Amino acid sequence: MNAPTSLNANPLLDFSGLPQFAAVRPEHVAPAVDTLLAQARAVVATLEAPMPEITWENFVEPLEDASEKLGRAWGMVGHLNAVMDTPELRAAYNEAEPKLVEFWTAVGQNLALFDKYKALKASPQYASLSDERKKVIENALRDFRLGGAELPDGQKQRFAAIQEEHAALTTRFSENVLDATNDYALFVEDEAELAGIPADVKQAARAAAEAAGKTGFKFTLHFPSFFPLLQYADNRALRARVYRANVTKASLLGEDFSKRTEWDNTANIEQILRLRREEALMLDFDSYAQLSLVPKMAQSPQQVVTFLEDLGHRARPFAENDLAELRAFAKEQLGLEQLEAWDLAYASEKLRERRYAFSEQDVKQYFPEHKVVDGLFHLVQQLFDVRITQDSAPVWHPDVRFYKIEKDASGGRQLVGQFYLDLYARAGKQGGAWMDSARSRRLLSAGAVQTPIAYLTCNFTAPATVDGVVKPALFTHDEVITLFHEFGHGLHHMLTSVGEVGVSGIAGVEWDAVELPSQFMENFCWEWDVLEHMTAHADTGAPLPRALFDKMIAAKNFQSGMQMLRQVEMSLFDMLLHDKYDPAAGSDQPAGVAHGGVQEVLDRVRAEFSVMQTPAFNRFQNAFGHIFAGGYAAGYYSYKWAEVLSADAYGAFEEAGAAQGNVISIATGKKFRDEILAVGGSRPALESFKAFRGREPSIDALLRHSGMAAA
């Protein structure tokens, strides 16, 4: 055990500049958290006391100062735990987390603070406050009610216990998925078994085996490693094995017999759902879904279900046609009499190659990392009138890079924001891709501005070393889309002009609208005016041929019906699970309430909306971190909901392109920045959309982009 660290030397307590990631150690966590909690409790105690006058300056600002420091330090710890997991850091995180939950729950239930916020809203000063500050106060009053402030004293202790237990369970859920992912290894000795696998994938697998001290090829359950097996491996048994390993991780059906019980998330899911339902009932909601929707755009669970079912019914004929074509092709051309789940990606790729005369592997050769990143930056600089250049900062891993965003101002360039870019998959890093806040924009005293900082995290294949030469990482077009998606979140965070942390950037934005900028950015990945600046063949350096791009466009909506139904399936499962399913009631439930277990809820949704039968052993839900360990509980529908907004918003650029011959419209980009990105959460998302588009959103653009518009 390391000796206690001096508080003066604790990097988690240094808020003077950029985070000191290179200096952070697990032993810093406990003393930093304890110090910041003590400071925050002291501030709360002072603000609880009677005050002759309650103002923004003497009440809200001190509370936000203490909260922000605590949030920034804990955000660093949480980020490191997600991208550089070690037993020591995990232990420090799990030891400190209950203290944070206890503090925030107590603040959320503090009637003295609640009463002062109500008094501030009722005061003569309120009318003179900025719209940003009014929105902060309104959100605070809502959050106090949702945080249990109005509960009877006898129930507050149980409510607090629910929060602490829920936090521990969601953390455990995530850890189980990560551990099961990191533990799995598939070694293949004979290269002949890897027929069909692209050379760069085999090179990465060989390098992974060498790093593990083995011969042959090593594959893992990190997406860039296992998915090419499903997509390209001619060896059907190999596809079946890796498919099963992936869809049973963190379950009793997992590959590693010795770890099945330890990493099984089944009981965690049930307990998480029980706690969420109990919390909702305590706050006088009929379900957790109703509680979850209070700060969102959607008005009720039924509105969401109706929206999803409508999408599902529109997509089903297209999905049925997709599957019928795929089955016929697989039988006639691939000799697969019965198409199984582990054949889908493989048969689909073969059909795509046959129909459109190209493969994803062909396209991948034109997207080396440096060209993609430079092309993304080039687009953002054109659209939003900013400059992006590499910057320097302490980082948590050698692969991480740091950048700054500036804008032209009188006297030179002015810093707008900064971001970390962590692109590659590795052991100890959670899967998926995400953006998170390292620091939010805030107006400080004397007119100074605290500029925002973002984390942009992906899990792409790292550059391979071949014969001692490091080759650039190559991205699939889907990975290019993912990078643009996360950068859209980053732009929402960094290009804000709001000065109050509670509604700056993505803070305070309704959860079902927060995907608007990210999904909006995806559209540019299908524009020639954008792609021509971000491609160069890995071997020849030649740009993407226009003929190949045209084939990509022709294939853009390949199997879009099946893809749409998959999103509907996951979204409906999430919403029904949090609205109709009562895990405590078993089979003795009223009409309309699902019973029979989580699996049965999923099976019922699949029976209505899936066109392809899912294997009985599939335990997808045991690794569904979005809803069981992330912020998407009763909110996964947000992806499709916000896609309506994003597709319609992008329609403004398409209209500008039709008029001027190029979708990269500077005027439209400025309006999008001013009305969507800059305002953050300072006003309702629907108002921001209408300010940009001049009307309410329409589903037409989404259906058109998906190839499902009415003829």
Side-chain angles (χ1 to χ4, degrees):
M1 177 70 71
N2 293 309
T5 303
S6 167
L7 293 179
N8 292 331
N10 193 321
L12 293 173
L13 296 175
D14 182 0
F15 302 101
S16 61
L18 297 173
Q20 300 298 309
F21 281 113
V24 176
R25 301 289 181 268
E27 58 267 24
H28 292 133
V29 175
V33 167
D34 290 344
T35 299
L36 293 171
L37 281 174
Q39 293 174 358
R41 290 190 182 104
V43 171
V44 169
T46 299
L47 297 178
E48 285 176 323
M51 303 169 68
E53 181 185 15
I54 302 169
T55 68
W56 178 273
E57 290 76 15
N58 71 7
F59 174 64
V60 180
E61 281 189 2
L63 188 57
E64 287 197 339
D65 286 342
S67 299
E68 193 209 8
K69 286 182 179 178
L70 182 59
R72 281 171 58 184
W74 185 241
M76 287 177 63
V77 176
H79 178 72
L80 287 173
N81 194 49
V83 297
M84 291 292 288
D85 177 78
T86 64
E88 295 79 14
L89 181 58
R90 181 183 292 190
Y93 179 91
N94 288 336
E95 180 183 352
E97 184 183 42
K99 301 176 185 178
L100 274 296
V101 174
E102 179 185 16
F103 171 76
W104 291 119
T105 302
V107 169
Q109 295 181 348
N110 191 308
L111 282 177
L113 299 181
F114 187 24
D115 288 341
K116 284 186 168 64
Y117 270 104
K118 288 190 286 189
L120 181 56
K121 184 172 183 180
S123 72
Q125 185 201 36
Y126 182 78
S128 65
L129 293 177
S130 67
D131 290 342
E132 296 174 8
R133 291 184 172 183
K134 287 178 180 177
K135 191 68 164 63
V136 169
I137 293 171
E138 291 170 4
N139 289 353
L141 293 172
R142 176 200 69 200
D143 293 343
F144 272 108
R145 296 186 180 101
L146 298 182
E150 296 177 322
L151 288 174
D153 289 341
Q155 294 185 30
K156 285 186 175 180
Q157 186 174 355
R158 175 56 191 161
F159 191 90
I162 289 173
Q163 308 310 307
E164 185 171 332
E165 188 177 353
H166 182 269
L169 284 166
T170 56
T171 296
R172 192 176 309 140
F173 182 101
S174 183
E175 290 173 350
N176 286 348
V177 175
L178 180 61
D179 288 344
T181 300
N182 286 338
D183 185 72
Y184 181 83
L186 172 63
F187 288 95
V188 177
E189 289 288 338
D190 186 357
E191 188 171 356
E193 294 186 40
L194 302 179
I197 302 295
D200 60 328
V201 175
K202 290 192 290 186
Q203 289 167 359
R206 188 185 293 278
E210 291 175 355
K214 303 275 190 177
T215 58
F217 305 84
K218 178 186 177 182
F219 296 91
T220 71
L221 290 184
H222 292 283
F223 188 85
S225 179
F226 83 83
F227 190 72
L229 292 182
L230 293 178
Q231 192 173 21
Y232 296 108
D234 296 333
N235 186 333
R236 195 183 193 194
L238 190 62
R239 298 200 305 269
R241 182 175 178 182
V242 75
Y243 171 87
R244 182 174 185 122
N246 184 55
V247 302
T248 59
K249 61 177 179 276
S251 80
L252 285 175
L253 300 178
E255 178 108 353
D256 190 329
F257 291 87
S258 64
K259 298 290 187 179
R260 284 180 176 181
T261 302
E262 180 183 346
W263 293 336
D264 178 33
N265 270 330
T266 305
N268 290 332
I269 290 173
E270 291 285 350
Q271 189 59 17
I272 287 169
L273 293 172
R274 286 179 179 167
L275 292 173
R276 288 173 178 171
R277 184 172 179 82
E278 183 180 355
E279 174 188 347
L281 295 176
M282 291 180 73
L283 295 174
D284 292 327
F285 293 95
D286 292 335
S287 69
Y288 184 81
Q290 290 185 2
L291 167 61
S292 173
L293 292 182
V294 172
K296 295 182 171 73
M297 289 180 69
Q299 299 298 304
S300 69
Q302 187 54 51
Q303 182 189 15
V304 174
V305 169
T306 300
F307 165 73
L308 293 171
E309 289 180 341
D310 178 53
L311 275 182
H313 292 144
R314 289 172 186 258
R316 188 173 185 91
F318 295 92
E320 289 174 341
N321 185 61
D322 290 341
L323 184 60
E325 289 182 340
L326 188 62
R327 280 178 168 154
F329 173 80
K331 182 176 181 178
E332 296 166 10
Q333 303 297 325
L334 304 178
L336 298 175
E337 290 292 328
Q338 179 68 36
L339 190 70
E340 302 290 356
W342 46 90
D343 300 320
L344 279 177
Y346 177 77
S348 296
E349 179 60 21
K350 294 297 185 186
L351 176 56
R352 186 206 314 270
E353 292 175 15
R354 175 67 63 89
R355 178 176 297 171
Y356 302 106
F358 80 96
S359 72
E360 287 195 354
Q361 187 65 19
D362 293 334
V363 174
K364 181 179 179 180
Q365 305 308 308
Y366 288 96
F367 287 107
E369 175 191 331
H370 65 283
K371 290 293 291 186
V372 172
V373 173
D374 288 349
L376 169 60
F377 292 174
H378 178 73
L379 170 67
V380 170
Q381 290 172 153
Q382 284 184 289
L383 280 181
F384 304 122
D385 193 23
V386 295
R387 300 292 176 269
I388 303 174
T389 54
Q390 193 150 1
D391 205 351
S392 60
V395 294
W396 53 90
H397 190 276
D399 291 338
V400 179
R401 282 165 286 163
F402 190 65
Y403 297 88
K404 61 184 175 183
I405 302 179
E406 298 171 303
K407 66 179 181 180
D408 291 331
S410 57
R413 291 183 180 177
Q414 178 182 335
L415 183 65
V416 173
Q418 294 158 296
F419 60 94
Y420 300 91
L421 194 60
D422 186 356
L423 292 177
Y424 313 134
R426 58 177 175 267
K429 182 180 181 182
Q430 290 181 7
W434 66 92
M435 190 287 298
D436 207 350
S437 167
R439 187 175 76 189
S440 296
R441 189 178 191 274
R442 187 181 188 190
L443 294 183
L444 305 173
S445 59
V449 176
Q450 173 180 285
T451 52
I453 304 174
Y455 304 119
L456 297 171
T457 310
C458 298
N459 272 276
F460 303 152
T461 303
T465 300
V466 181
D467 298 328
V469 178
V470 178
K471 300 287 187 178
L474 299 177
F475 295 163
T476 67
H477 190 244
D478 282 345
E479 289 174 332
V480 174
I481 291 173
T482 296
L483 180 60
F484 273 59
H485 178 104
E486 299 308 332
F487 208 83
H489 283 308
L491 292 172
H492 204 181
H493 178 66
M494 292 182 286
L495 298 190
T496 184
S497 61
V498 176
E500 304 296 339
V501 290
V503 290
S504 172
I506 62 172
V509 177
E510 296 98 313
W511 199 255
D512 42 8
V514 80
E515 298 292 336
L516 191 168
S518 56
Q519 293 177 326
F520 160 81
M521 285 296 295
E522 293 182 20
N523 291 283
F524 289 103
C525 298
W526 296 100
E527 297 289 352
W528 176 251
D529 295 330
V530 175
L531 292 192
E532 65 176 335
H533 295 293
M534 55 189 292
T535 61
H537 194 277
D539 296 326
T540 67
L544 180 74
R546 182 60 192 251
L548 179 53
F549 170 77
D550 290 341
K551 293 176 183 178
M552 293 168 60
I553 292 298
K556 178 176 182 287
N557 291 319
F558 178 62
Q559 298 184 343
S560 61
M562 291 172 64
Q563 293 168 12
M564 180 80 80
L565 279 194
R566 176 64 173 152
Q567 288 296 308
V568 168
E569 174 190 312
M570 292 190 289
S571 300
L572 271 175
F573 166 63
D574 167 45
M575 184 54 63
L576 295 177
L577 201 61
H578 287 99
D579 187 44
K580 299 298 184 183
Y581 175 64
D582 181 358
S587 59
D588 299 323
Q589 299 193 37
V593 177
H595 61 274
V598 170
Q599 186 65 49
E600 184 170 329
V601 176
L602 182 54
D603 290 343
R604 289 181 179 182
V605 172
R606 284 173 172 163
E608 183 173 359
F609 288 98
S610 178
V611 292
M612 177 75 181
Q613 185 174 358
T614 304
F617 60 75
N618 185 298
R619 292 297 181 269
F620 142 81
Q621 66 270 25
N622 282 46
F624 196 2
H626 277 79
I627 70 170
F628 295 121
Y632 286 85
Y636 197 78
Y637 77 92
S638 299
Y639 284 102
K640 301 313 293 183
W641 186 279
E643 197 174 352
V644 171
L645 305 177
S646 65
D648 199 348
Y650 190 72
F653 289 81
E654 293 175 314
E655 292 159 12
Q660 68 186 30
N662 191 323
V663 295
I664 306 175
S665 167
I666 306 303
T668 312
K670 181 180 185 304
K671 190 175 183 182
F672 186 84
R673 173 176 177 167
D674 292 345
E675 301 294 357
I676 303 290
L677 302 177
V679 299
S682 65
R683 68 183 179 193
L686 183 58
E687 289 185 18
S688 295
F689 180 89
K690 290 192 292 187
F692 173 67
R693 207 66 173 101
R695 56 167 172 75
E696 300 238 350
S698 166
I699 198 174
D700 294 345
L702 172 60
L703 295 175
R704 176 169 51 83
H705 287 179
S706 302
M708 298 179 192

